[in-house]
Amino acid sequence: MSASEDLFAAMSAPPEKVAFEPTRSAGIVRMEQFAIRTGAHYASKRNYDLGANNRSTVSALSPWIRHRLITEEEVLTQTLARYSPSTAMKFIQEVFWRGYFKGWLEQHPSVWNSYKQGVRTAQNRLHSNAELNADYIGAIEGRTGIACFDHWCRELVETGYLHNHARMWFASIWIFTLRLPWELGADFFLNHLIDGDSASNTLSWRWVGGLHTKGKTYLARQDNIAKYTDGAFKTIGQLAKTTLPLFEDDIHPVVPLEPMARQPHGDHLLLVTAEDCRPDDFIPEGASGIIGLGVPLKHGQSNQQHAFKTGAIGDALDRLGAPSNVAVTDDWATAIIAAAQAAGIKHVVTPFAPVGDVATKLAALQATLATEGITLYQHRRPYDTHTWPHATKGFFKLKKMIPTILSTLGHAHVEGP
Ligand SMILES: Cc1cc2nc3c(=O)[nH]c(=O)nc-3n(C[C@H](O)[C@H](O)[C@H](O)COP(=O)(O)OP(=O)(O)OC[C@H]3O[C@@H](n4cnc5c(N)ncnc54)[C@H](O)[C@@H]3O)c2cc1C
């Protein structure tokens, strides 16, 4: 099929509603369904948010990619099998934005800690400031009177997903029109988006507010919203006209990436978490035992996000031939020790957990495991190993390296952007 025939087929497809089922097979179905649109169609249509009943302009693959039920590399392979790199470059670059944010946060971990602290501080302000609390509750309940914002709020809570443009508009209105603390908005997203991700979410909110690219903000404009929602929303006179960039005192030092840890010889227990539900893709076979660990529903977290995470881990266990239940517990150390002792194993291997709650949990339990003579090894994906080192400054630096990264990963020569 020629590129123009592909574009025609993609444009004439019926509206698509996407159901987020936490299985690899459902992710593959969506990946294959969207493959035809990763070329010219995506490049020309991706900014249009046509609502939850029509996701045809974007892939809506983020819930599966976030939990690595399908991987960025698979999505790129599928895309490059259909289109030339230049035809699909816009989609390829967007996929690499995720790796950019992951790599950047990995090398600036204090940004995550400062965000978490910012959430706690802002929550405390809610207790002492009734007016702020009322504005915040009005915003998260979709009662601001700004029709588009209230609509996205409901859409997020109901579906667990928002189009990228809606996320940008939402964050901008939250910060610059409603003047609410950005950390509370990011926390609301992180708790409700099924793809909620420590790096993409925190850094995108910081980007909108002017903290990621210092002083550069994103302003939601009424004409832009009207155009890219196909006229669904009019916000005349309701939105802030200017932005005052957010400011922070904190300095976030660069922390070099750790070299890939050596891997254990001999028997090991494979630990599956929601961070990477496809360990069989890159961790050597031969685990003598497998354990899947989730966490109980957190305060504020949506049921559907929690169910997706637990389901994704369960799906991984099924595929690995270990269809036992996912252990949903806060006490991972006890669960790991029990599983390791039952299997008579001293080594535990898990996919590398990037900066975020799982990484914090794993760091905290190492000492307890050590008292039982058990060592935890984290194994990083080649895709991350080759992508993250280029995420030190702005995205442009990484973008230039995309052809090199793809050819290092074994994809045919890809010309530059
Ligand atoms: C305020 C705000 C918060 C966000 N929070 C998250 C989050 O918690 N988790 C998350 O995965 N993304 C987040 N994003 C990035 C982006 O909006 C989503 O990745 C994208 O909308 C997912 O939809 P899709 O799968 O249809 O994307 P597509 O446009 O089809 O892109 C394909 C894939 O590329 C990656 N991608 C595309 N655009 C971006 C981007 N701008 N940044 C990072 N990765 C990208 C995603 O993995 C996505 O699934 C956020 C963006 C903003 C502005």
Side-chain angles (χ1 to χ4, degrees):
M1 207 187 275
S2 72
S4 58
E5 283 166 336
D6 260 4
L7 181 59
F8 178 76
M11 305 265 287
S12 50
E16 283 163 8
K17 202 169 171 172
V18 179
F20 299 120
E21 187 193 311
T23 62
R24 175 167 163 73
S25 55
I28 290 173
V29 167
R30 177 59 185 165
M31 178 169 71
E32 290 176 350
Q33 183 186 31
F34 191 74
I36 194 173
R37 301 194 177 86
T38 53
H41 182 267
Y42 182 82
S44 65
K45 297 282 168 194
R46 71 188 183 94
N47 281 326
Y48 285 90
D49 177 7
L50 305 179
N53 290 326
N54 188 355
R55 294 288 176 220
S56 60
T57 59
V58 288
S59 73
L61 283 172
S62 49
W64 293 283
I65 295 176
R66 156 68 182 94
H67 300 94
R68 286 194 151 155
L69 281 166
I70 59 171
T71 65
E72 290 105 306
E73 209 177 334
E74 285 178 291
V75 174
L76 293 167
T77 304
Q78 172 87 241
T79 302
L80 289 168
R82 182 178 281 271
Y83 289 114
S84 72
S86 55
T87 305
M89 194 41 84
K90 198 68 225 170
F91 185 71
I92 293 170
Q93 285 171 0
E94 292 304 312
V95 171
F96 270 100
W97 265 100
R98 177 177 152 78
Y100 166 72
F101 281 141
K102 296 306 282 181
W104 197 93
L105 191 64
E106 209 56 36
Q107 293 170 88
H108 301 82
S110 63
V111 168
W112 174 247
N113 299 331
S114 126
Y115 155 69
K116 297 285 272 188
Q117 182 54 47
V119 174
R120 285 189 290 271
T121 306
Q123 283 169 341
N124 287 338
R125 279 181 63 204
L126 295 179
H127 294 306
S128 58
N129 183 334
E131 195 183 338
L132 179 66
N133 190 51
D135 290 348
Y136 166 72
I137 299 293
I140 63 170
E141 291 183 353
R143 291 186 287 101
T144 64
I146 302 172
C148 55
F149 183 93
D150 294 346
H151 170 87
W152 295 319
C153 201
R154 285 192 294 276
E155 184 177 327
L156 170 61
V157 171
E158 282 165 22
T159 69
Y161 175 90
L162 283 181
H163 183 284
N164 179 58
H165 226 158
R167 298 181 198 208
M168 290 163 62
W169 294 320
F170 186 106
S172 178
I173 295 171
W174 181 283
I175 297 170
F176 299 117
T177 298
L178 302 174
R179 293 169 179 261
L180 289 164
W182 75 268
E183 295 94 337
L184 292 181
D187 182 58
F188 181 57
F189 265 29
L190 197 59
N191 276 326
H192 286 274
L193 287 169
I194 300 175
D195 64 36
D197 179 80
S198 50
S200 290
N201 192 55
T202 313
L203 299 181
S204 295
W205 275 85
R206 286 172 59 88
W207 179 83
V208 170
L211 291 171
H212 186 68
T213 310
K214 295 272 176 272
K216 188 172 177 293
T217 54
Y218 175 77
L219 179 65
R221 296 176 196 274
Q222 66 179 46
D223 52 344
N224 186 264
I225 294 173
K227 174 175 175 185
Y228 288 108
T229 57
D230 217 7
F233 296 108
K234 295 186 178 49
T235 55
I236 296 160
Q238 288 187 299
L239 306 185
K241 295 253 184 304
T242 53
T243 59
L244 195 58
L246 300 177
F247 174 79
E248 65 183 344
D249 289 323
D250 300 358
I251 293 170
H252 301 292
V254 177
V255 175
L257 291 169
E258 303 236 350
M260 252 279 276
R262 68 186 173 83
Q263 296 304 304
H265 295 294
D267 287 351
H268 64 271
L269 178 77
L270 177 62
L271 166 62
V272 182
T273 73
E275 289 298 303
D276 193 317
C277 295
R278 194 147 191 250
D280 41 321
D281 194 22
F282 68 111
I283 289 186
E285 286 177 12
S288 307
I290 300 174
I291 178 173
L293 289 179
V295 287
L297 186 74
K298 283 184 301 175
H299 177 70
Q301 183 184 23
S302 77
N303 283 311
Q304 62 182 334
Q305 187 201 75
H306 183 261
F308 192 98
K309 285 186 185 300
T310 311
I313 303 166
D315 183 66
L317 296 184
D318 281 349
R319 280 182 284 107
L320 291 164
S324 53
N325 288 338
V326 181
V328 177
T329 171
D330 276 324
D331 187 359
W332 283 14
T334 300
I336 294 172
I337 291 167
Q341 288 177 344
I345 295 168
K346 293 286 184 194
H347 300 306
V348 180
V349 177
T350 193
F352 185 87
V355 168
D357 287 338
V358 170
T360 305
K361 230 172 156 43
L362 294 181
L365 58 73
Q366 303 249 24
T368 312
L369 296 191
T371 60
E372 299 295 331
I374 297 169
T375 312
L376 178 71
Y377 299 83
Q378 299 199 31
H379 199 98
R380 195 156 59 210
R381 278 183 179 273
Y383 178 88
D384 298 339
T385 297
H386 292 297
T387 303
W388 291 358
H390 305 295
T392 46
K393 293 195 167 18
F395 179 69
F396 185 69
K397 189 176 167 213
L398 189 149
K399 188 166 102 170
K400 280 194 305 189
M401 296 306 296
I402 290 176
T404 311
I405 298 167
L406 287 174
S407 80
T408 310
L409 289 167
H411 299 280
H413 176 72
V414 177
E415 77 262 31

